[in-house]
Amino acid sequence: MIIEKIDKSRFTPEIFNIQSFGTAFADHMLVCSYKDGKWGEPIIKPYGKLEFTPAMSVAHYGQGIFEGMKAYKGSEGDVFLFRPEKNFERMNKSAVRLDMPEIPEEIFMEGLKALVDLDRQWVPDIYGMSLYLRPVMFATEEAITARSANEYLFVILTAVAPNYYNKPLSVKVADRYSRAANGGVGYAKAAGNYAGSFYPTHIAREEGYDQVIWTDDATHTLIEEAGTMNVMVRIGDKLLTAPTSERILNGVTRDSMIELAKSSGIDIEVRKITVEEVYNAHKSGELKEVFGVGTAVVVNNYVAVGYGDERLELPDLPLEESYGKSLKKKLVDLQMGISEDPFGWRIKVEEKLVEA
């Protein structure tokens, strides 16, 4: 691995006052190209612009995938990754689905650790904040030919992450548009999955909501995801989440929340959830919580769910009564090294490099 350090770091402590997500990029990035059927040597270099042709394949045929991860800093200054092997596995699963080359483990994992180590001063030591990590791969071949490309670029960039949402959100149940379909790429973190969600979200916002609760493409009767996150529903004292499928992303945060709920004694069930079931639970007073879970936001409890012309208001439960809020605290405490990690999820980034 080649490491080219920045001449002068752009870091200042004031960067941790940032309010916007995904705009304050750290000093370095990792770049590795795929050409002639093999991966080249990864390079860590100063973060900056890259030069591309407008004929590069991703701009025309959409071969682009990514992952979302975070690095955390504990009170003793140690820096941790959280379950990075799950993101590595899922990225290669996405690569296979889009007929892209799989990334070798040593490039992904060792490159990630070296990059975070080099820019560890950019990892906030403030509770709830982190350094967001974005591995991304896209087709760079100069060819407007409808086929899988022969050349790709793998990049890892990082950005300081404040709280993703600083206000409670409301969501509208989709009854026309779909995020994904059977046989499609819904289970992959393909760039086009997100592009296709923006217009329905725009419509929901015009109706006074922040995001969309996605339903199944065939009948729109099954709750699947929420915005860019997995979704969990609490009816009475039972926590529900939909099973993963060809349409539903296997979220790392979702999986972690399921395990934390089980270890906390919460009655959790992974099964299909119908829109009608949620609606009836609200009418009977049994719908306690609906919340989204994902890497960027961790957990966001919704204040209302839109169903047709009705707005179903949800209670704002205190921390000690809320499954969503209490599980979020347990997860963040674990990620930041505040609490014990009985699952072995927290991976310490060893200090091996001299800061630039």
Side-chain angles (χ1 to χ4, degrees), residues 186-319:
Y187 68 88
K189 282 193 75 73
N193 288 347
Y194 298 83
S197 73
F198 295 156
Y199 178 64
T201 304
H202 177 83
I203 294 174
R205 287 174 178 162
E206 289 183 336
E207 297 178 4
Y209 296 93
D210 300 290
Q211 290 181 346
V212 174
I213 283 190
W214 301 107
T215 51
D216 67 293
D217 63 297
T219 67
H220 293 294
T221 61
L222 299 175
I223 285 178
E224 297 200 326
E225 293 195 7
T228 59
M229 300 174 284
N230 295 116
V231 64
M232 293 188 167
V233 175
R234 178 184 172 188
I235 297 177
D237 289 331
K238 184 184 289 291
L239 190 59
L240 307 172
T241 192
T244 56
S245 66
E246 290 180 318
R247 303 185 307 272
I248 300 177
L249 189 72
N250 187 9
V252 178
T253 304
R254 169 191 175 277
D255 184 73
S256 304
M257 291 286 284
I258 291 172
E259 294 303 314
L260 278 174
K262 289 178 179 177
S263 68
S264 301
I266 292 174
D267 184 8
I268 184 165
E269 199 171 308
V270 179
R271 64 166 173 81
K272 293 180 179 179
I273 310 167
T274 67
V275 176
E276 183 180 20
E277 177 183 14
V278 173
Y279 179 79
N280 289 336
H282 183 270
K283 290 304 179 185
S284 68
E286 285 295 295
L287 183 63
K288 304 299 184 183
E289 296 178 86
V290 180
F291 51 88
V293 300
T295 298
V297 66
V298 187
V299 176
N300 189 278
N301 277 70
Y302 301 131
V303 295
V305 175
Y307 176 70
D309 294 330
E310 295 187 60
R311 183 180 175 94
L312 313 180
E313 301 289 342
L314 294 168
D316 182 17
L317 299 177
L319 173 66

Side-chain angles (χ1 to χ4, degrees), residues 7 32 60-61 63 113 128 130-131 188 193 202 216 229 237 259 281 284 288 312 323 332 352:
D7 290 334
C32 188
H60 303 268
Y61 305 111
Q63 277 186 296
K113 292 175 183 177
S130 58
L131 184 67
N193 288 347
H202 177 83
D216 67 293
M229 300 174 284
D237 289 331
E259 294 303 314
S284 68
K288 304 299 184 183
L312 313 180
Y323 286 176
V332 174
K352 296 180 179 179

Side-chain angles (χ1 to χ4, degrees), residues 29-33 40-46 50 153-156:
M29 61 183 178
L30 180 142
V31 177
C32 188
S33 60
E41 186 172 12
I43 302 171
I44 292 179
K45 58 193 293 185
L50 299 169
L153 194 67
F154 172 61
V155 181
I156 304 177

